[in-house]
Amino acid sequence: AKNPLPVWVIITMAVIFVVLIAVLVLMNTTMKDNLLFSQIASMIIGISCGALFYMRRFTKNPDSKFQDILYVILAVMAVVMTFMGAYGLYRLLMS
């Protein structure tokens, strides 16, 4: 039997899902050419990847190599997207 997830994990995953959908829709519609929004969106995506990587301990199966690979990719994407968004925002605001 699988242990149920804590309520805060379920709520956090739902919030992340809604935020990511909203950001991706805005990135492809009304905010398509807005440089400031695109840098902030990159940071939001990176922070979401980091939050999902942090919550992995509640959803991981004990001997799943495939999940281990996915979590490494998630961690790398969290660092890369957050750094790219922060650096782009820094350059945008300093110019």
Side-chain angles (χ1 to χ4, degrees):
K2 193 174 181 180
N3 291 336
L5 294 174
V7 174
W8 72 270
V9 171
I10 295 170
I11 292 172
T12 305
M13 285 184 178
V15 168
I16 288 173
F17 179 75
V18 169
V19 167
L20 287 178
I21 293 297
V23 165
L24 292 173
V25 166
L26 286 173
M27 272 177 48
N28 291 314
T29 56
T30 59
M31 299 288 199
K32 184 184 285 190
D33 297 326
N34 190 333
L35 292 176
L36 180 64
F37 182 77
S38 66
Q39 300 308 321
I40 292 171
S42 294
M43 287 180 56
I44 289 172
I45 292 169
I47 291 168
S48 297
C49 289
L52 290 172
F53 177 75
Y54 173 74
M55 291 187 301
R56 77 190 187 286
R57 69 174 108 164
F58 300 103
T59 60
K60 186 177 184 315
N61 292 332
D63 295 322
S64 177
K65 297 296 180 194
F66 181 69
Q67 277 188 345
D68 290 340
I69 293 168
L70 287 178
Y71 291 136
V72 168
I73 293 170
L74 197 60
V76 169
M77 290 305 296
V79 172
V80 169
M81 292 298 288
T82 304
F83 175 76
M84 283 175 34
Y87 183 68
L89 188 62
Y90 171 76
R91 289 201 47 173
L92 189 64
L93 294 177
M94 291 301 149
S95 61

